[in-house]
Amino acid sequence: MRIQLENNQLLLKKLILVIYDSAAVIVASLLALFLRFEGERDAIPRQYVEVSQQYIYIVIIITVIIFYALRLYGSLWSYAGATELMNIAFASVLSAGVQMAVMVLLDMRMPRSYYVFYAGCLFVLVTISRYSYRAVRSVIKRQKDAKECSNVLIVGAGGAGNMLVREISNSGHVNKRVVCIVDDSKAKQGSFLHGVKIMGGREQIPHLVKKYRVDEIMLALPSAPAKEIKQILDICKETGCELKRLPGVYQLVNGEVSVSTLKEVDVNDLLGREPVKVDLSAILDYVAGKTILVTGGGGSIGSEICRQVAQHNPKRLVIVDIYENTTYDIQNELKHKYPNLELVVLIASVRNTKRMDIIFEKYRPNIVYHAAAHKHVPLMEDSPNEAVKNNVLGTLKVVQAADKWKVRRFVMISTDKAVNPTNIMGATKRICEMIIQTYNNRSRTEFVAVRFGNVLGSNGSVIPLFKKQIAQGGPVTVTHPDIIRYFMTIPEAVSLVLQAGAYAKGGEIFILDMGEPVKIADLARNLILLSGHKPEEDIAIEYTGLRPGEKLYEEMLMDEEGLQDTENKLIHIGKPIRIDEEQFLMKLENLAKYVVEEPEDIRERVQDVVPTYHPEHVPQV
């Protein structure tokens, strides 16, 4: 019923336009004579008036056919642009040509300039009919109460800015008003874009925000390098305005630039560096046609490993995880994106020796990515035995299964917290690194570890916590004003993990270059600013003190380790530290027997295995 009603309305609109255009042809022919004789009505010879109207019905019929062929009855005139305007001009000229041909064929004489005036008048009349709705709507929108609209400043007067201004101005569903534009190009400054003035360069942003009471700043710079985006954001974030930006240049190519494609400015933009790029061909050769097994495949890192591996045509991808919810999510995602991928999803604990043995025997993986681990530092401080059981014993059992079933390569995800650890989580991950290096010397499997710092947006990252706290009105909690961390996005870290695996020869601890360290307090302050609030005024920052086992800063290398470069300048190899393997394996066996008794002094046993573990050295606030 609704579709039928819409079809009837559309048909009625087209009929009205046909009637209007028919009348426009008649009026245009009379106006052409009026203009030809310089507005003197009495000076127009009566024979010209009679001739112009005698066969006008033929001209009307052919003109309507021309208009139909050029889609003047099928366009969405609410969003009409230059193309539709050119079609009207072309149709008007053709209509004049048709009238001229009719007159010549019937041997009727008309002034030659008549046809030029006729085409011009018809163009004006038809344009009025097609664009009047937009003009009326634009006037109504401009007359809205200023309190009902958000005042918008757009940065960038290029192609993206042009499309953005046009959409905001024309859309009846966007309650925004572009009040000014800034662009660093001196040639553009002082000009107008869809009636909005380009006021100056980026340095004018704070002044313009105050002058025009700007509520929102939109960055229409999809092709700008990360360093330039950071410089502009550093200016914008101090204004207290809400910030949004276009995600990428491909939106311009695909014609997808719109208000809906804008995204919230993220703290990633403030890292001020280009995304890490890897040699995808090396990864492709490395995993293509292989059976890949990922433990912890439902987690932040594990799921991203699965996504990137799935892109490179593995023979089979086996996902193992104990937590069913996120595992179910990645399963559905991969099934949808890669319907031809042979995907096996298993719920299992890496602590279950028999289960791991059965899985490895059945699927015979060529490469294993071991991402399963307990990683949350404060929670593990409260449950140290669980950290040992899951991280140490879980890793040991997966390593033993890989050795038994002759896996070609085993890549373990480690952490910078394994270096001179002050918490039980970091200490257990250091034991895992020692397991990897020990078994590499005793197995045909190539065992390696990849060590990196914090990843933005992971389940345990501070970013989701900060965003939640800001949404609740604060306060944002930071443990210490001087605490710093290394950050990288999840896709960046995982792509480097995959490439490090391709470089592996066995026994290495690969160390990723995480860039410059970031102060967590600065991170919190920037997120508050990017959310349109002022730190300490709108949203408070509270310092809660270092949590148990937490350092002010993390290290990527121990004193004994030296760095060796790889082909990728962001991936380094730490020199293996020599250990007494027999003594280590004996201590490991004793630790495995002792932890199941749920002792209260497990940290002392762990410290015996990892001499660099010093829990008592946690700084106090």
Side-chain angles (χ1 to χ4, degrees):
M1 185 69 180
R2 181 183 174 185
I3 294 174
Q4 183 64 37
L5 182 62
E6 289 178 351
N7 288 337
N8 291 340
Q9 289 176 342
L10 184 61
L11 191 61
L12 180 61
K13 288 179 181 178
K14 289 183 178 181
L15 183 60
I16 292 172
L17 284 176
V18 169
I19 295 171
Y20 176 91
D21 292 341
S22 301
V25 171
I26 298 172
V27 173
S29 63
L30 295 174
L31 277 175
L33 288 172
F34 186 73
L35 293 172
R36 163 64 181 80
F37 290 96
E38 300 177 352
E40 295 290 336
R41 182 181 173 184
D42 296 335
I44 305 173
R46 186 171 182 80
Q47 68 184 69
Y48 286 159
V49 176
E50 292 175 353
V51 167
S52 69
Q53 300 301 307
Q54 189 172 359
Y55 294 98
I56 197 69
Y57 64 92
I58 298 176
V59 178
I60 289 172
I61 293 171
I62 297 176
T63 299
V64 169
I65 293 171
I66 291 171
F67 280 19
Y68 181 82
L70 291 174
R71 301 175 182 173
L72 297 191
Y73 299 118
S75 298
L76 287 173
W77 295 102
S78 300
Y79 303 101
T83 301
E84 287 76 14
L85 201 63
M86 289 177 64
N87 286 342
I88 294 174
F90 187 46
S92 301
V93 171
L94 283 178
S95 179
V98 166
Q99 195 173 60
M100 181 186 292
V102 170
M103 297 300 180
V104 170
L105 287 173
L106 298 176
D107 196 27
M108 296 179 177
R109 292 184 176 276
M110 292 290 286
R112 284 175 294 181
S113 58
Y114 161 80
Y115 301 107
V116 176
F117 285 122
Y118 167 79
C121 290
L122 184 62
F123 171 77
V124 172
L125 291 169
V126 173
T127 300
I128 289 172
S129 71
R130 270 41 174 201
Y131 285 83
S132 58
Y133 171 73
R134 279 183 61 179
V136 170
R137 189 178 63 181
S138 178
V139 170
I140 292 173
K141 186 171 182 180
R142 289 187 180 185
Q143 289 177 344
K144 278 186 179 180
D145 186 356
K147 294 181 180 178
E148 295 180 4
C149 291
S150 296
N151 290 337
V152 176
L153 180 152
I154 290 180
V155 182
N162 170 60
M163 293 168 130
L164 210 50
V165 175
R166 187 175 66 184
E167 178 166 335
I168 292 173
S169 300
N170 295 338
S171 176
H173 305 287
V174 179
N175 203 23
K176 302 178 189 297
R177 179 177 57 187
V178 181
V179 292
C180 56
I181 305 170
V182 299
D183 195 290
D184 288 339
S185 171
K186 297 291 185 184
K188 295 177 182 177
Q189 292 171 13
S191 303
F192 289 82
L193 192 61
H194 298 288
V196 183
K197 190 173 183 179
I198 302 168
M199 298 290 192
R202 68 182 72 172
E203 70 282 352
Q204 293 293 320
I205 291 174
H207 167 69
L208 293 172
V209 165
K210 292 180 181 178
K211 182 177 179 180
Y212 292 98
R213 297 181 180 179
V214 173
D215 303 299
E216 197 171 326
I217 298 175
M218 295 181 178
L219 272 64
L221 302 167
S223 304
K227 187 175 181 181
E228 184 177 347
I229 291 291
K230 180 182 183 301
Q231 291 171 352
I232 295 173
L233 287 177
D234 284 341
I235 297 172
C236 293
K237 70 185 183 184
E238 301 295 340
T239 63
C241 295
E242 184 179 350
L243 303 178
K244 289 183 179 177
R245 64 175 295 232
L246 287 172
V249 71
Y250 66 88
Q251 274 81 7
L252 273 176
V253 178
N254 296 338
E256 297 174 7
V257 173
S258 67
V259 176
S260 61
T261 61
L262 290 167
K263 68 171 186 176
E264 299 293 334
V265 172
D266 197 87
V267 72
N268 295 14
D269 299 314
L270 291 173
L271 292 180
R273 58 172 173 78
E274 298 295 334
V276 171
K277 297 176 182 176
V278 301
D279 181 6
L280 295 179
S281 61
I283 297 174
L284 178 61
D285 295 339
Y286 169 51
V287 303
K290 309 282 197 319
T291 295
I292 311 297
L293 185 146
V294 182
T295 69
S300 303
I301 298 295
S303 61
E304 183 62 26
I305 291 175
C306 293
R307 289 185 192 96
Q308 295 197 26
V309 166
Q311 297 175 27
H312 299 303
N313 303 312
K315 176 184 175 182
R316 182 190 297 120
L317 176 59
V318 182
I319 299 176
V320 177
D321 202 299
I322 191 63
Y323 185 51
E324 61 185 21
N325 291 358
T326 53
T327 307
Y328 177 71
D329 290 340
I330 189 64
Q331 179 186 37
N332 285 342
E333 179 184 332
L334 295 180
K335 277 185 175 181
H336 175 71
K337 287 186 178 179
Y338 309 100
N340 297 323
L341 172 67
E342 184 180 341
L343 182 65
V344 179
V345 180
L346 304 170
I347 299 300
S349 171
V350 293
R351 290 152 62 166
N352 188 326
T353 306
K354 185 67 175 176
R355 179 79 165 129
M356 289 299 104
D357 193 58
I358 291 171
I359 291 172
F360 274 74
E361 180 183 14
K362 182 175 182 179
Y363 297 104
R364 300 296 179 92
N366 303 105
I367 302 168
V368 173
Y369 292 99
H370 179 51
H374 286 326
K375 305 180 183 75
H376 199 278
V377 171
L379 287 179
M380 291 306 98
E381 287 301 297
D382 293 334
S383 304
N385 290 324
E386 293 305 306
V388 173
K389 290 177 196 173
N390 198 67
N391 294 358
V392 176
L393 303 190
T395 297
L396 179 62
K397 291 173 182 183
V398 180
V399 163
Q400 289 172 337
D403 174 41
K404 179 179 179 180
W405 297 106
K406 298 179 174 56
V407 170
R408 178 184 170 188
R409 192 166 294 167
F410 186 105
V411 181
M412 187 200 81
I413 307 301
S414 189
T415 170
D416 56 359
K417 294 174 178 63
V419 180
N420 299 320
T422 57
N423 55 71
I424 193 69
M425 192 282 285
T428 59
K429 295 298 280 185
R430 176 55 193 153
I431 296 176
C432 294
E433 291 181 351
M434 296 164 76
I435 292 172
I436 290 298
Q437 292 187 317
T438 299
Y439 268 82
N440 183 73
N441 296 330
R442 298 162 177 259
S443 172
R444 294 175 63 182
T445 300
E446 297 168 346
F447 289 97
V448 299
V450 181
R451 186 190 292 165
F452 56 89
N454 297 271
V455 286
L456 288 169
S458 69
N459 293 335
S461 170
V462 296
I463 306 302
L465 173 63
F466 285 171
K467 286 184 175 180
K468 184 177 180 181
Q469 290 174 335
I470 291 169
Q472 293 172 344
V476 172
T477 56
V478 179
T479 57
H480 193 282
D482 297 323
I483 192 168
I484 62 172
R485 290 291 182 267
Y486 293 90
F487 283 100
M488 185 175 279
T489 66
I490 295 174
E492 286 176 329
V494 167
S495 63
L496 290 174
V497 166
L498 292 176
Q499 191 166 43
Y503 292 155
K505 294 182 173 60
E508 300 99 335
I509 295 179
F510 290 96
I511 298 164
L512 304 188
D513 186 340
M514 303 291 289
E516 293 298 317
V518 177
K519 266 193 175 185
I520 302 299
D522 291 344
L523 205 61
R525 184 172 178 274
N526 286 333
L527 265 182
I528 293 170
L529 288 166
L530 292 177
S531 302
H533 302 289
K534 293 183 179 179
E536 306 299 354
E537 292 183 25
D538 303 325
I539 304 287
I541 298 176
E542 286 187 3
Y543 297 103
T544 58
L546 290 174
R547 298 172 296 182
E550 192 171 43
K551 295 180 183 180
L552 278 177
Y553 60 94
E554 299 293 356
E555 306 159 89
M556 300 301 290
L557 275 176
M558 287 184 278
D559 292 338
E560 301 89 341
E561 295 174 322
L563 277 184
Q564 178 184 338
D565 292 333
T566 66
E567 293 176 26
N568 189 322
K569 64 181 180 180
L570 297 177
I571 303 175
H572 309 284
I573 300 173
K575 183 179 178 182
I577 299 173
R578 291 185 180 181
I579 59 174
D580 187 327
E581 293 181 3
E582 295 299 333
Q583 188 178 24
F584 168 68
L585 290 174
M586 182 182 67
K587 289 181 178 180
L588 191 60
E589 184 179 352
N590 292 335
L591 182 66
K593 292 176 181 177
Y594 188 60
V595 72
V596 296
E597 298 175 8
E598 301 297 336
E600 296 185 359
D601 62 343
I602 194 66
R603 287 182 176 83
E604 295 177 12
R605 293 297 183 98
V606 170
Q607 193 171 25
D608 185 47
V609 181
V610 184
T612 55
Y613 171 42
H614 298 293
E616 69 276 13
H617 289 169
V618 180
Q620 299 297 318
V621 181

